């Protein structure tokens, strides 16, 4: 009688990724789903089972050899490789031998029962976290100490990361005897092979938690909201990230926390636009002010500057004020301020303005319309107004 092995799990489908996914894509998919279905976040019993499947899928796909077994149609977490029937068993239907089993036979990692990999540690490093922080231009230019609120996993104070209820301890797994692995004997074309697989009872840890901590449900960490203060250096730009070491997610079993990255987003300013360390603004001048010259008072980010507009200044001119931009991030001076001038030509003149221009035209024997078309109009009007 031919027996049928269970169908291998679709670990790619569990994480919602393609079979060509990279290691980084696998890790991102796992983190996203783990945060969604973690028991601390989602108390639904179905979510708890989903969380177990997500962990199993990540365990398989993040291991190159286990992933290859999956790609060959097997299941590295199932008894005997879980990839269907093959020759050599009773009635010609023995268990399928996966790629890992053949490698073990050649290199001795599992053959004859030697070379066991040992139990997996319960304590693992935590993931990094990222937080978006919006700041004004003045804050990014000169730096600020900004309060932030972080929602991450932290060490469970009830069990100090052990995952066990008060007064209880981890117990040795009865299935694997604390080895974290179970062995199975299979017939192959190479002969009899003894292969090792992670113990399903303890998930390869070698120990079990008889009484999980009621606060963290055995994970050794809980999610909480906490307040921090981040020091933003002067000169940071939009999109930059500030790294706060070990302020991210605490790892399973109370493992070392990952890092927290604070991503800077600069709010648009009402007056200034920024390009690197330089600032730009636009100022509109009357035609007469550009022609005769004037003095502007510009309010910069940290002071007021008097800027001279020389007589005869042409439309679309740019004035440069050195050292009034944004401080360099590395503390080497400051950028510059660029003032772009828009010269406004009046569409309707007052009676005094019209009389003044007509008198000016008469003294030159020229028509006002023709005069305005000539390139030297501004300089000649300046000379006339100055009595030359």
């Amino acid at each position: 009688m031919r027996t049928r092995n269970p169908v291998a799990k679709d670990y790619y489908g569990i994480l919602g990724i393609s079979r060509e996914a990279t290691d980084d894509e696998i890790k991102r998919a796992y983190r996203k789903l783990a945060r969604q279905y973690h028991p601390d976040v989602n108390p639904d019993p179905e979510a708890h089972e989903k969380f177990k499947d997500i962990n199993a899928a990540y365990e398989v796909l993040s291991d190159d050899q286990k992933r290859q077994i999956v790609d060959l149609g097997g299941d590295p977490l199932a008894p005997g490789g879980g990839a269907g029937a093959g020759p050599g068993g009773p009635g010609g239907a023995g268990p399928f031998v996966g790629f890992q089993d053949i490698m073990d036979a050649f290199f001795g990692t599992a053959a004859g029962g030697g070379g066991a990999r040992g139990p997996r540690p319960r304590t693992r490093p935590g993931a990094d976290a990222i937080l978006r922080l919006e700041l004004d231009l003045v804050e990014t230019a000169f730096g600020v100490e900004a309060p932030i609120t972080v929602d991450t996993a932290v060490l469970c104070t009830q069990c100090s990361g052990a995952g066990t209820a008060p007064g209880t301890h981890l117990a040795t797994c009865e299935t694997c005897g604390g080895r974290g692995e179970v062995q199975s004997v299979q017939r192959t074309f190479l002969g009899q092979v003894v292969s090792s697989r992670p113990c399903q009872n303890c998930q390869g840890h070698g120990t079990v938690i008889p009484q999980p901590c009621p606060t963290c449900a055995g994970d050794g960490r809980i999610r909480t909201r906490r307040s921090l203060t981040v020091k933003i250096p002067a000169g940071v730009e939009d999109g930059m990230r500030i790294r706060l070491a070990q302020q991210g997610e605490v790892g399973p079993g109370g493992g070392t926390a990952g890092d927290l990255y604070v991503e800077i987003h600069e709010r648009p300013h009402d007056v200034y636009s920024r390009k690197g360390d330089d600032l730009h603004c636009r100022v509109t001048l009357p035609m007469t002010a550009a022609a005769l010259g004037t003095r502007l008072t510009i309010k910069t980010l940290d002071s007021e500057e008097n800027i001279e507009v020389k007589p005869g200044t042409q439309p679309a001119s740019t004035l440069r004020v050195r050292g009034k931009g944004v401080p360099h991030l590395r503390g080497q001076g400051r950028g510059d301020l660029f003032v772009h001038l828009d010269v406004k030509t009046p569409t309707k003149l007052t009676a005094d303005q019209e009389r003044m221009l007509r008198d000016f035209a008469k003294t030159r024997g020229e028509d006002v319309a023709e005069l305005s078309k000539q390139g030297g109009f501004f300089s000649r009007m300046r000379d006339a107004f100055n009595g030359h």
Side-chain angles (χ1 to χ4, degrees):
M1 178 179 179
R2 185 178 297 272
T3 60
R4 178 175 297 177
N5 288 349
V7 178
K9 284 187 177 181
D10 181 9
Y11 292 112
Y12 290 101
I14 291 173
L15 294 184
I17 56 178
S18 68
R19 301 183 73 88
E20 293 77 25
T22 64
D23 291 342
D24 287 341
E25 289 172 338
I26 293 172
K27 185 178 294 185
R28 286 197 297 268
Y30 167 72
R31 289 178 178 175
K32 179 180 178 181
L33 292 173
R35 290 172 181 170
Q36 181 179 353
Y37 292 101
H38 193 282
D40 289 344
V41 178
N42 194 334
D44 191 339
E46 293 184 3
H48 184 66
E49 293 301 319
K50 179 74 172 178
F51 184 67
K52 290 181 179 179
D53 290 340
I54 293 168
N55 279 331
Y58 179 68
E59 176 187 339
V60 169
L61 298 182
S62 61
D63 186 303
D64 291 339
Q65 293 180 342
K66 292 179 181 178
R67 182 177 181 180
Q68 190 155 3
I69 294 174
V70 173
D71 293 341
L72 292 173
D75 187 342
L77 299 185
F96 175 84
V97 180
F99 175 80
Q100 178 63 50
D101 300 318
I102 298 175
M103 295 298 292
D104 289 345
F106 273 106
F107 298 105
T109 56
R117 289 176 288 270
R120 278 195 313 130
R122 287 188 176 274
T123 302
R124 300 195 301 276
D128 295 337
I130 186 170
L131 176 73
R132 176 189 175 109
L133 179 63
E134 292 192 353
L135 297 174
D136 294 329
L137 175 59
V138 174
E139 294 172 323
T140 58
F142 301 110
V144 67
E145 290 190 358
I148 57 175
T149 301
V150 186
D151 187 0
T152 58
V154 299
L155 184 69
C156 176
T157 56
Q158 182 75 10
C159 65
S160 300
T164 56
T168 66
H169 304 279
L170 296 174
T172 301
C173 176
E174 295 181 356
T175 301
C176 66
R179 295 186 302 273
E181 298 175 328
V182 292
Q183 296 179 342
S184 60
V185 180
Q186 299 169 320
R187 291 182 180 181
T188 72
F189 63 90
L190 298 172
Q192 184 170 296
V193 174
V194 180
S195 60
S196 297
R197 296 282 179 251
C199 176
Q200 292 299 293
N201 185 51
C202 64
Q203 302 298 315
H205 296 300
T207 57
V208 294
I209 303 177
Q211 299 182 41
C213 171
T215 302
C216 66
D219 192 44
R221 56 183 182 168
I222 58 174
R223 299 199 72 84
T224 188
R225 182 166 294 177
R226 53 202 173 96
S227 297
L228 299 173
T229 299
V230 56
K231 185 176 182 180
I232 307 299
V236 295
E237 295 186 47
D238 185 76
M240 284 187 174
R241 292 182 177 180
I242 309 298
R243 174 175 170 265
L244 302 181
Q246 297 186 5
Q247 293 295 334
E249 300 276 346
V250 167
T256 303
D259 297 333
L260 172 64
Y261 291 89
V262 180
E263 187 173 87
I264 304 301
H265 289 264
E266 186 179 273
R267 300 188 188 98
H269 195 271
D270 294 337
V271 176
Y272 295 107
S273 61
R274 178 178 176 181
K275 294 181 180 179
D277 295 326
D278 295 328
L279 294 177
H280 296 258
C281 69
R282 307 196 72 87
V283 174
T284 300
L285 287 179
M287 179 186 66
T288 52
L292 302 176
T294 187
R295 183 176 293 271
L296 299 176
T297 300
I298 301 293
K299 187 176 182 180
T300 66
L301 295 181
D302 58 342
S303 64
E304 288 189 353
E305 295 292 322
N306 293 320
I307 304 175
E308 182 181 357
V309 179
K310 295 182 179 180
T313 295
Q314 300 297 307
S317 296
T318 299
L319 305 178
R320 181 176 185 176
V321 184
R322 297 185 180 275
K324 285 300 175 181
V326 175
H328 298 308
L329 183 59
R330 297 181 179 179
Q332 300 174 353
R334 292 175 63 169
D336 298 331
L337 170 62
F338 293 88
V339 181
H340 304 273
L341 300 179
D342 292 330
V343 177
K344 183 178 181 181
T345 301
T347 56
K348 185 176 181 180
L349 298 176
T350 64
D352 289 341
Q353 289 173 334
E354 186 176 351
R355 177 182 53 78
M356 184 168 49
L357 288 176
R358 290 189 181 280
D359 291 344
F360 173 71
K362 288 179 181 179
T363 61
R364 296 296 189 270
E366 300 171 342
D367 183 73
V368 174
E370 290 296 323
L371 184 65
S372 63
K373 296 179 183 179
Q374 298 181 23
F377 172 68
F378 287 108
S379 59
R380 280 183 284 158
M381 189 172 72
R382 175 203 61 192
D383 293 340
F385 278 32
N386 289 337
H388 296 297

